[in-house]
Amino acid sequence: MSDPVFLVDAVPAVGGFVLDGPEGHHAADVQRLQPGETLLLTDGSGTVASARVTHAERGSLRLDILQQRTVPAPDPKLTVVQALPKGDRGERAVQMLTEIGVDEVIPWAASRSIVQWKGPRGDKARAKWTATAREASKQARRARLAHVAELHTTKQLVARLRSATRVLVLHEEADAPLSQVDLPDSGEIALVIGPEGSISPDELAALQEFGEPIRLGDTVLRTSTAGPAALAVLQARLGRW
């Protein structure tokens, strides 16, 4: 089994280090790591250190930092625009997207989204998505955390995606399958996932100015599963899987 990953504000240099706080509690009291076992520390931005436990006590571990390295950012960057779904489907989508390898998730307030993020409720909902991405990144042993962006309106989304290298809009009436569209070697590939009620004609027209509608197959997937399914196809096509 690969070494567990723990997040730190700054990855320490080679030498002694104490892992405490919430991560230290999880390592020492929940996972019960013992002297001689190894783990990884990361700042979530690509810097990673391998370490060996030298002493375990309640709530913390003393470590010997063995080596530090930097994991480059994936290229092309993979971004998924996720229209707000009902219930906890958004968190499930973020979890799966993170485990599969998304770099950024953009929450989208589509016109047909039933759920709305407003005021404290919206802040709480985004915080849940961010926490889900953080924990899923650790579970997947990622050196770089998946980023959850601020909520985007359709106008903000159109402005944001104009800078992407390739924009692919999942739509059930599209002709081109995702397995056959051209993909760039670098830059940013953005997948747009609509809400349960589908992307409105006006939204589709705005996105088509620079994006291409594509489909996954003959079946219609839920908004919370369409993104992970499409991202898996991209990972395979890019040679990462």
Side-chain angles (χ1 to χ4, degrees):
M1 181 179 293
S2 58
D3 289 337
V5 171
F6 299 93
L7 288 169
V8 291
D9 292 334
V11 175
V14 172
F17 180 74
V18 176
L19 180 64
D20 53 15
E23 294 292 89
H25 163 70
H26 188 74
D29 303 334
V30 179
Q31 295 202 14
R32 297 180 181 274
L33 296 179
Q34 298 298 313
E37 294 187 275
T38 55
L39 56 84
L40 298 175
L41 300 177
T42 181
D43 59 1
S45 298
T47 304
V48 182
S50 56
R52 179 178 292 110
V53 179
T54 59
H55 181 73
E57 54 190 42
R58 185 178 179 84
S60 66
L61 297 176
R62 293 186 182 278
L63 307 174
D64 181 20
I65 306 300
L66 306 174
Q67 184 182 34
Q68 188 184 106
R69 60 189 174 91
T70 300
V71 177
D75 188 27
K77 173 184 177 180
L78 298 179
T79 297
V80 172
V81 176
Q82 176 64 62
L84 302 182
K86 296 182 293 185
D88 63 354
R89 292 174 185 166
E91 292 161 51
R92 293 206 304 267
V94 170
Q95 178 182 349
M96 289 187 289
L97 289 168
T98 301
E99 292 177 0
I100 293 169
V102 74
D103 296 302
E104 182 176 10
V105 179
I106 301 177
W108 175 30
S111 63
R112 293 178 177 174
S113 290
I114 297 175
V115 173
Q116 296 185 15
W117 286 5
K118 292 185 177 180
R121 179 182 178 182
D123 295 338
K124 183 178 179 180
R126 180 175 178 265
K128 285 184 177 180
W129 282 32
T130 300
T132 298
R134 182 181 188 276
E135 293 306 311
S137 294
K138 290 171 58 179
Q139 176 66 34
R141 312 293 199 262
R142 291 180 53 158
R144 294 178 176 271
L145 297 183
H147 173 65
V148 177
E150 297 284 347
L151 177 67
H152 281 52
T153 64
T154 297
K155 182 178 180 180
Q156 292 169 329
L157 181 65
V158 170
R160 162 66 176 83
L161 294 184
R162 286 188 185 279
S163 62
T165 311
R166 193 81 162 91
V167 177
L168 303 171
V169 184
L170 269 67
H171 197 275
E172 61 191 64
E173 296 180 2
D175 295 322
L178 179 56
S179 60
Q180 296 179 17
V181 297
D182 294 332
L183 299 177
D185 295 327
S186 63
E188 179 184 21
I189 301 174
L191 286 168
V192 180
I193 314 299
E196 281 91 345
S198 189
I199 299 173
S200 72
D202 288 345
E203 291 167 336
L204 184 60
L207 292 167
Q208 277 185 290
E209 290 184 20
F210 49 83
E212 178 182 359
I214 57 97
R215 61 179 174 83
L216 285 175
D218 296 330
T219 58
V220 178
L221 303 182
R222 286 187 180 274
T223 184
S224 56
T225 54
L231 189 65
V233 173
L234 287 183
Q235 291 284 48
R237 292 202 55 202
L238 292 170
R240 299 176 181 176
W241 283 23

